[in-house]
Amino acid sequence: MGYTIVALKDKILEMYPEIMKYNISVSLEFNEEKNAYIIKFKKNRHELTTHLEKKDADECMNGVKCIYFGVQIGQFIKNFEERR
């Protein structure tokens, strides 16, 4: 499946609106060695780096939510909110 990093980022933001709700910045890059996207979430000085396997990214582009990825986003938001 062919898509750009920008398209994947837009899809992630669409599927997980809480990212924008909490003004969390997102950056993505593809790591050829791991065959996965490295995704960084940042809010003020708090940062979470995670990865999304290529096959999961492909499914994401088809509208399938990745449960593990969603849990990580939720945990990051929870941790950030607790430290405010």
Side-chain angles (χ1 to χ4, degrees), residues 13-78:
L13 293 174
E14 174 189 318
M15 292 178 80
Y16 301 96
E18 57 273 26
I19 295 169
M20 294 196 49
K21 177 182 176 184
Y22 290 98
N23 294 318
I24 297 169
S25 66
V26 181
S27 64
L28 287 86
E29 65 182 50
F30 187 73
N31 183 306
E32 299 265 345
E33 185 178 308
K34 293 183 179 186
N35 195 36
Y37 290 89
I38 307 303
I39 304 173
K40 291 184 182 182
F41 297 102
K42 189 169 183 183
K43 175 79 175 190
N44 300 327
R45 68 180 199 282
H46 304 285
E47 192 171 309
L48 169 70
T49 301
T50 189
H51 73 281
L52 185 63
E53 299 290 333
K54 174 80 169 74
K55 67 177 182 57
D56 292 332
D58 292 347
E59 289 180 355
C60 178
M61 291 303 292
N62 286 324
V64 178
K65 284 191 175 186
C66 175
I67 302 299
Y68 174 72
F69 187 67
V71 167
Q72 287 187 306
I73 293 168
Q75 189 62 48
F76 177 71
I77 291 170
K78 181 181 177 207

